[in-house]
Amino acid sequence: MKTAEELWELISQAEDLPYGAAQIALVEQILRHVEAVPDPQLAFVSRLIATNAYIYGGEPAKAFVTFSWCVADFDRNPQPYHQRAQHSLLWLFKSMVNALAKFPEVPLARTYAVLDDMERRYREYGSGLGALYKYRYVVADHVGLRDEADSWYEKWQAAPRDGLSDCVGCDPTDVAAYLATRGRFGEAVEHAHPVLEGTFNCTEQPQAILEELMVPYLMTGREAEAADAHRRSYRLQRANLADMEDIAGHITFCARTGNEHRGLEILQRHIDWLDKAPSPAAAMDFSAAGSHLLARVTELGHGDAVVRRRDRPDVTAAELAAELAAGATELAARFDARNGTTAQSSRIAEWLAREPFGVTLTLSPSDRPAASARRDKKDTGLAVVEVPADLSATDLLDLAEEHVGEDRDEAAKATIAAFDARFPAATVLASPEVAGETGPSFGVAGEARPSFGVAGETGPSFGVAGEARPSFGVAGETGPSFGVADEAGSLLEVAGRRAALQGVVTDWRRDPEGVERAWRTARDLLTRAGAAERAAAAGGRLGVLCCFTGRQEEGIALVRAEVAHVARHGDDRQRSSAWSRLAVAQFAGDDFAGARESLDRADEFAAAADAPRHLAVHAVWRARVAMATEDPEQALASATRARDFFRAHGPATRTAEAALMIADLAEEPEQVVEALGEVLAACEPEVALMAHAHRGRALLHLDRPGEAVADLVEAAALCAEFDEEQAAAFVRHDLARAYGGAGRPVEAAEVAEEALLRFERLELDAPADDVRFLLAGLYREIGDNHGALSLYRTLIERLDGNPAGRGQVGEQAGALLYDLDRDAEAAQAFQAAARDLHEAGDVIGELRVLRRRVSALHYADDAPAALAAADEAEKLYAGLPAEVAAEPQAVWQRSMIAREAAGLLLARDRHAEAVAYLEGLPERLRAIGADDDAARAEDMLGQARSATDE
């Protein structure tokens, strides 16, 4: 049995709770006890509060009983408390009329009777009738009496606003809805939009007006505002069962703007609400919206997508579309039977048949903008040359090899294509099947593809993913040319050269077996043709490939054989190529000292041959060796030399390869941003993912969050394409920070929630907690204080054993409670945070939180506890080491605590006690340069002394 005092305290707690299940549970607990307490005012007030809780918490049917009880009690036994609550009771008539229309089992005559009673009471109260006209319009519009609805609407608009009119957000929302249903979209925006610039004190706003403006914005060409209205309103409505009809609007908006995937996510999140729908009207609209969306999903070829429902079997999109359509249609028929019209059936049929708007919006802030397709590979800047029509087979091969040697990949491919078209016999002979080379079992068992770089690096060091050929030594070198062989007698050599070119232009990462077959075929054909130098070069390239696919011994032997051959028979250019290939092979086997020595030899021959492109490629490999041996200074210098050469001479892919290493090595964010810009000018999507993510993070470090957004959105999209779940979580965390820093907290919160879900799924606790902390701050910024407090409480529980973290979070929780005027709770939170910061050894933080506790206790009207906290802080300061106590922050916090305590005492006319806290305070503050605070303390001291003297 609870006492009246206890029940009044519970009522106070219920009023502080947000609308929803928790508040309803508490008011129902009160109602269970209230009849046993002889307090008629308590009985009336508790039911009045319960009515409000039921309406806005998503259970309006229960409000019919409590509201009727209040009206009967008001009429039966008038009391002073009835008069004080009369405005609230009259206000609730509007909610009752609105709710009654949403239940087809309630006779329409009952709704009209309530409207008539409402009119009588409003007249007796002396109120205007604008609100009454509005709700007569609402009922007429629901029934489908269009002319009557228009007439009541005009009367509503003509009537002056008064104390019983809906709020300055809700009335314009309903006006916008009326105008939109009449196709007057521009007027809807013009009427409602200025309201958004004001301040709302209504629990339904601004989300309701934003949801109503989504379509008018879109239909008037304001696409960005339409998308923003959807995002902002949905996140404020998604947790409230009472907003189920508005959720239906969001689902349909997604279905009609090319966002069926997002609509499906929303439907999946709320589908179980159908089992507890606030009203049949809400269930009808939600079912119609869900069916419409799922029909779109089915039309797009995803009718077999599974929708999961709690306590029910999973169902496909196509099956659920039919089920929901039938449910919406049946409910519409029930309403029409009650209303005596066909208005609801016609409305639902139209809803189910709605077509897309013909405009694709980007609604998810982690999606690419709708106008942006996936980035195609950038042009290298090198034009594909025209292949002369009169060239012989050897001339075409010479030209292709020249293009390869100068990194003109597209020109090389065009020349090879011309060769294949003109000399098909040689091409056929060059194929491994005809040459008899099937190739050995390739690579290391179970290896998806070899690691072409340094283990443990944050990004690949192998250059730009997707290059037409690997960087096996000097760019494009297929072997020396020792003159043009006689075409009639050298078909084997011609075919061997063609096979070697195939090995060059095929990406070994995508087709390692094919590249190996090409090089083995080339070596075999060239050996049989007597072209020993070319055969040795093919063998050297094959050796490098072997080293990178786990066959180091075989590979090194092949490359050393090439080095030995060119030492006897080659020139400086060929020796440069052979030694560089040996360096690459040694690098693959982690023989970094050997690789460095081989690069020294390669550089000697490249310099003698005046081959600057060779030197640039060698610099790339020097950078890789230096990175592997933890010599970042040498690595950066080598990568920069390579980048500078390729920037001047091309191709862009080589520039990007070097720039990627510079980005990995650079210490300054500006250097990272510049380098990654060059990477993104030419790289493939696999590398673009990392480049966009790193550049976005660098821009965040440079405090350029608005610029970071585009990079991080692209990185998020690429994560989805490549199914990189862990990377997707970290990228979204950074994207949330970018949106937040750019002043876009709604998008930031949505993306942070996406990141949190992924971190939780991956069981990555530490980054998940980082996101929770970020998300709590974002919730505060967008007004979701309940969500922020919930996250702070979760973090405090999770950070057991981390007192510094708990103290930081506890202080934030206390600050939020203080802002919400829940001062006693704030004081408790600050006390707990002070304990945690004390344990963490953060004495300045402890003083700061104690200062905030004193202030909270002041406003909680607990002066004894506030003064005790101030004394506690003074003792803490007195025990500080001298050097810590002299720090300006320590002095300032101590001084502000004394000023808070003095302010508390002055407010209670305890002037003499205030003087004790204020004496010496102005001097201490001026000593640390806090002149404004000193002046304020001086004024307070003067007031206190003056009052004491009196």
Side-chain angles (χ1 to χ4, degrees):
M1 179 70 66
K2 292 189 180 295
T3 66
E5 183 179 351
E6 290 172 330
L7 291 174
W8 280 113
E9 176 59 29
L10 289 177
I11 286 176
S12 178
Q13 293 178 23
E15 289 179 314
D16 285 338
L17 288 174
Y19 293 121
Q23 187 190 51
I24 289 174
L26 184 53
V27 298
E28 290 184 340
Q29 178 186 350
I30 296 168
L31 293 177
R32 284 195 295 272
H33 293 277
V34 74
E35 289 302 325
V37 177
D39 187 338
Q41 182 179 356
L42 178 62
F44 179 82
V45 171
S46 62
R47 286 176 172 84
L48 202 65
I49 290 173
T51 301
N52 215 49
Y54 288 140
I55 290 168
Y56 294 105
E59 298 187 41
K62 293 181 177 180
F64 299 155
V65 175
T66 54
F67 176 75
S68 297
W69 190 97
C70 288
V71 172
D73 189 62
F74 183 93
D75 291 341
R76 180 176 56 247
N77 184 29
Q79 296 291 330
Y81 60 81
H82 285 139
Q83 299 307 310
R84 290 193 296 270
Q86 186 176 10
H87 183 274
S88 297
L89 187 66
L90 292 176
W91 185 279
L92 286 171
F93 266 89
K94 300 182 296 182
S95 300
M96 288 299 102
V97 171
N98 196 49
L100 288 167
K102 296 178 184 295
F103 289 82
E105 56 269 29
V106 176
L108 196 58
R110 174 62 180 154
T111 303
Y112 285 131
V114 174
L115 278 167
D116 292 342
D117 190 32
M118 176 180 172
E119 180 172 357
R120 177 182 64 81
R121 293 175 186 273
Y122 276 36
R123 288 184 186 276
E124 291 175 355
Y125 186 65
S127 171
L129 297 180
L132 172 75
Y133 298 150
K134 175 180 178 178
Y135 284 90
R136 288 199 183 277
Y137 149 71
V138 166
V139 174
D141 191 61
H142 163 76
V143 173
L145 303 176
R146 189 179 180 93
D147 291 341
E148 183 178 329
D150 288 344
S151 176
W152 286 119
Y153 172 83
E154 294 300 332
K155 289 182 179 181
W156 164 36
Q157 292 304 293
R161 288 182 55 79
D162 58 38
L164 286 171
S165 296
D166 283 343
C167 81
V168 294
C170 290
D171 266 351
T173 297
D174 294 319
V175 171
Y178 171 86
L179 294 170
T181 59
R182 271 61 175 176
R184 296 157 62 182
F185 299 111
E187 293 177 63
V189 172
E190 183 179 353
H191 185 87
H193 194 258
V195 179
L196 293 171
E197 299 174 3
T199 300
F200 296 104
N201 58 3
C202 171
T203 58
E204 296 181 61
Q205 301 297 346
Q207 59 268 31
I209 196 167
L210 286 168
E211 192 273 336
E212 198 59 61
L213 284 174
M214 294 188 304
V215 173
Y217 275 147
L218 187 64
M219 301 306 289
T220 54
R222 303 166 79 156
E223 297 175 9
E225 287 164 285
D228 183 64
H230 160 74
R231 284 192 291 262
R232 291 173 61 194
S233 57
Y234 174 66
R235 76 160 301 99
L236 291 173
Q237 292 171 326
R238 63 183 184 172
N240 194 352
L241 180 63
D243 291 328
M244 188 173 183
E245 289 171 87
D246 291 319
I247 300 299
H250 288 292
I251 292 172
T252 295
F253 188 73
C254 290
R256 302 183 74 188
T257 57
N259 289 275
E260 291 84 0
H261 62 293
R262 182 177 174 88
L264 190 57
E265 290 173 1
I266 295 174
L267 176 67
Q268 179 67 80
R269 185 178 295 134
H270 300 285
I271 186 65
D272 291 317
W273 280 10
L274 276 174
D275 296 332
K276 54 180 180 180
S279 67
M284 176 176 67
D285 282 7
F286 187 89
S287 296
S291 178
H292 173 257
L293 167 79
L294 294 171
R296 285 284 306 150
V297 170
T298 302
E299 288 174 19
L300 294 172
H302 304 292
D304 57 351
V306 174
V307 180
R308 292 176 172 80
R309 303 184 66 176
R310 188 182 300 118
D311 302 327
R312 295 195 188 187
D314 294 345
V315 63
T316 67
E319 292 168 343
L320 187 55
E323 177 186 330
L324 293 177
T329 302
E330 189 273 332
L331 282 168
R334 287 173 55 195
F335 277 107
D336 286 343
R338 190 271 304 268
N339 299 337
T341 66
T342 60
Q344 293 302 316
S345 293
S346 297
R347 186 175 72 91
I348 294 303
E350 181 275 329
W351 195 331
L352 295 172
R354 287 173 183 171
E355 295 293 331
F357 287 119
V359 176
T360 299
L361 296 184
T362 302
L363 298 183
S364 172
S366 60
D367 283 349
R368 290 188 183 100
S372 172
R374 187 176 116 173
R375 179 187 44 74
D376 292 328
K377 183 178 178 180
K378 301 295 190 296
D379 187 355
T380 62
L382 298 173
V384 177
V385 299
E386 293 270 341
V387 180
D390 58 348
L391 294 183
S392 67
T394 51
D395 289 339
L396 283 170
L397 292 172
D398 288 342
L399 181 60
E401 289 167 359
E402 178 186 334
H403 288 320
V404 167
E406 292 299 316
D407 286 319
R408 297 192 290 263
D409 294 339
E410 297 304 317
K413 290 177 182 177
T415 306
I416 293 169
F419 176 92
D420 292 345
R422 298 174 195 176
F423 303 99
T427 302
V428 170
L429 182 59
S431 67
E433 291 78 10
V434 173
E437 180 70 53
T438 58
S441 176
F442 186 85
V444 179
E447 198 169 32
R449 63 181 174 86
S451 173
F452 194 172
V454 181
E457 287 191 335
T458 56
S461 63
F462 52 79
V464 182
E467 279 193 313
R469 52 181 169 66
S471 301
F472 289 167
V474 176
E477 189 90 18
T478 58
S481 174
F482 290 92
V484 179
D486 181 276
E487 287 186 49
S490 304
L491 184 57
L492 286 176
E493 182 174 355
V494 168
R497 292 174 67 185
R498 173 61 186 85
L501 285 168
Q502 188 64 33
V504 169
V505 300
T506 302
D507 182 358
W508 77 275
R509 283 174 296 270
R510 290 187 169 88
D511 185 14
E513 292 91 346
V515 172
E516 178 167 355
R517 287 194 298 270
W519 287 122
R520 290 192 183 277
T521 298
R523 185 182 59 157
D524 178 65
L525 291 171
L526 292 167
T527 300
R528 288 158 57 190
E533 291 77 12
R534 291 185 183 279
R541 286 187 172 274
L542 176 61
V544 173
L545 183 62
C546 289
C547 289
F548 276 104
T549 52
R551 293 164 290 165
Q552 189 73 16
E553 185 175 347
E554 177 188 0
I556 286 288
L558 286 167
V559 181
R560 288 195 180 280
E562 181 194 6
V563 169
H565 183 88
V566 298
R568 295 191 301 272
H569 305 290
D571 60 19
D572 288 333
R573 180 175 290 268
Q574 295 142 18
R575 291 169 187 144
S576 169
S577 297
W579 278 102
S580 71
R581 274 191 276 276
L582 179 58
V584 174
Q586 290 167 323
F587 177 90
D590 295 338
D591 179 6
F592 303 124
R596 190 179 292 110
E597 292 175 4
S598 296
L599 285 170
D600 289 341
R601 296 296 307 276
D603 276 355
E604 293 173 13
F605 291 119
D610 190 22
R613 186 169 293 273
H614 285 215
L615 291 169
V617 173
H618 300 169
V620 170
W621 284 101
R622 283 191 185 280
R624 290 177 178 151
V625 170
M627 290 170 74
T629 56
E630 299 182 0
D631 186 354
E633 185 175 343
Q634 175 62 44
L636 184 59
S638 296
T640 301
R641 282 200 307 275
R643 190 273 314 274
D644 291 347
F645 175 86
F646 292 121
R647 179 189 280 170
H649 302 284
T653 51
R654 289 282 195 182
T655 307
E657 181 180 6
L660 186 61
M661 286 190 285
I662 293 172
D664 282 342
L665 294 161
E667 295 183 357
E668 297 299 326
E670 292 92 340
Q671 293 175 291
V672 175
V673 171
E674 178 189 5
L676 289 175
E678 292 190 284
V679 172
L680 290 166
C683 69
E684 289 289 338
E686 292 90 339
V687 175
L689 192 167
M690 182 195 68
H692 279 297
H694 283 195
R695 188 166 69 173
R697 193 169 297 120
L699 288 166
L700 280 175
H701 286 308
L702 291 171
D703 198 23
R704 291 156 61 183
E707 297 173 64
V709 165
D711 274 307
L712 294 167
V713 164
E714 182 64 22
L718 290 167
C719 285
E721 290 178 19
F722 298 120
D723 198 24
E724 293 284 353
E725 183 71 3
Q726 182 164 314
F730 284 100
V731 165
R732 279 170 169 76
H733 186 187
D734 287 336
L735 180 56
R737 292 168 53 215
Y739 274 128
R744 299 165 67 179
V746 174
E747 291 100 319
E750 184 167 335
V751 175
E753 288 166 349
E754 294 175 2
L756 180 58
L757 286 173
R758 285 168 169 80
F759 283 133
E760 288 176 337
R761 193 157 52 234
L762 294 165
E763 298 182 351
L764 296 174
D765 293 338
D769 287 339
D770 289 341
V771 174
R772 288 187 180 96
F773 188 72
L774 170 66
L775 192 54
L778 293 169
Y779 282 170
R780 290 179 64 178
E781 193 170 351
I782 62 180
D784 184 2
N785 295 317
H786 178 70
L789 282 173
S790 178
L791 280 173
Y792 285 141
R793 291 179 181 122
T794 297
L795 282 167
I796 289 170
E797 292 175 4
R798 291 177 56 82
L799 292 173
D800 188 31
N802 178 1
R806 282 171 61 94
Q808 182 184 10
V809 174
E811 182 177 3
Q812 293 297 318
L816 176 53
L817 289 164
Y818 183 84
D819 290 343
L820 295 174
D821 294 329
R822 295 163 64 176
D823 301 306
E825 294 174 77
Q828 293 175 355
F830 288 137
Q831 184 178 36
R835 287 195 297 266
D836 287 324
L837 293 172
H838 180 82
E839 183 181 348
D842 182 1
V843 290
I844 304 297
E846 185 180 2
L847 283 170
R848 181 183 65 248
V849 174
L850 286 172
R851 170 178 60 80
R852 304 182 81 168
R853 172 168 162 76
V854 172
S855 181
L857 288 167
H858 176 186
Y859 289 104
D861 199 24
D862 190 348
L867 294 173
D871 292 343
E872 178 187 349
E874 185 63 26
K875 291 176 184 176
L876 173 66
Y877 182 85
L880 295 178
E883 64 276 10
V884 177
E887 290 182 13
Q889 261 300 310
V891 174
W892 189 85
Q893 295 293 349
R894 176 205 182 194
S895 301
M896 289 299 98
I897 291 169
R899 199 177 83 175
E900 290 282 359
L904 177 152
L905 291 165
L906 288 174
R908 290 160 177 78
D909 296 328
R910 296 163 63 177
H911 303 100
E913 295 173 78
V915 169
Y917 281 98
L918 291 166
E919 284 182 332
L921 188 56
E923 293 77 14
R924 289 205 305 269
L925 287 166
R926 286 198 177 91
I928 61 171
D931 294 335
D932 290 343
D933 292 323
R936 173 63 180 143
E938 204 161 48
D939 288 344
M940 293 173 67
L941 180 58
Q943 294 171 25
R945 283 175 172 165
S946 176
T948 302
D949 292 341
E950 294 174 1

